[in-house]
Amino acid sequence: MKKVISTPNAPAAIGPYSQAVLVNNILYASGQLGLDPQTGDFVEGGVPAQTEQAFKNIRAILSEAGMDMSNVVKTTCFLADMGDFTAMNEVYARQFDGAFPARSAVAVKTLPKNGLVEIEIIAIKD
């Protein structure tokens, strides 16, 4: 069974895609930028603030799907500059209790709307 997950507590999709799709017990969430869902603007404070906001957006999507951060099994972090890895990683490390999910982190030429960080997740409902 496939179900589209959408919440006003995370930024609306800025293209032809869903915030997330739940297939049986697996949630595939689109990448989240550090956008404030109310204004559609990036939060101020650079990579740390955008990383924190991306995780707030991820939590909102997880909540809409009846999950939380403990359900996350895989993340992919996209950075506009790999020089910002440490700043992103410090915020990232505080988002999980116990075992961390598997992760990839890559630098890309540019991110949508010229964001500094984008994070996507896969989560499994127990």
Side-chain angles (χ1 to χ4, degrees):
M1 179 175 88
K2 176 176 146 180
K3 178 182 178 186
V4 171
I5 302 296
S6 181
T7 175
N9 297 320
I14 55 176
Y17 60 89
S18 300
Q19 287 176 330
V21 176
L22 183 64
V23 180
N24 297 322
N25 65 335
I26 303 173
L27 181 73
Y28 301 90
S30 296
Q32 292 299 304
L33 297 164
L35 296 171
D36 180 308
Q38 306 307 315
T39 66
D41 296 328
F42 284 106
V43 295
E44 293 186 19
V47 169
Q50 286 190 26
T51 303
E52 188 68 48
Q53 184 63 50
F55 275 109
K56 287 179 185 177
N57 298 338
I58 288 167
R59 280 189 180 83
I61 291 167
L62 286 165
S63 178
E64 187 68 23
M67 297 186 205
D68 60 33
M69 293 298 285
S70 70
N71 296 103
V72 176
V73 296
K74 172 72 168 82
T75 65
T76 304
C77 302
F78 302 95
L79 295 162
D81 181 347
M82 192 54 81
D84 292 326
F85 179 83
T86 299
M88 178 279 297
N89 204 45
E90 288 173 358
V91 175
Y92 181 99
R94 296 191 300 264
Q95 307 304 312
F96 300 94
D97 292 326
F100 289 102
R103 178 179 82 179
S104 300
V106 296
V108 296
K109 185 174 179 181
T110 55
L111 288 167
K113 299 181 89 173
N114 292 315
L116 302 175
V117 63
E118 180 176 1
I119 301 170
E120 69 178 25
I121 59 104
I122 298 172
I124 297 180
K125 196 175 224 178
D126 298 333

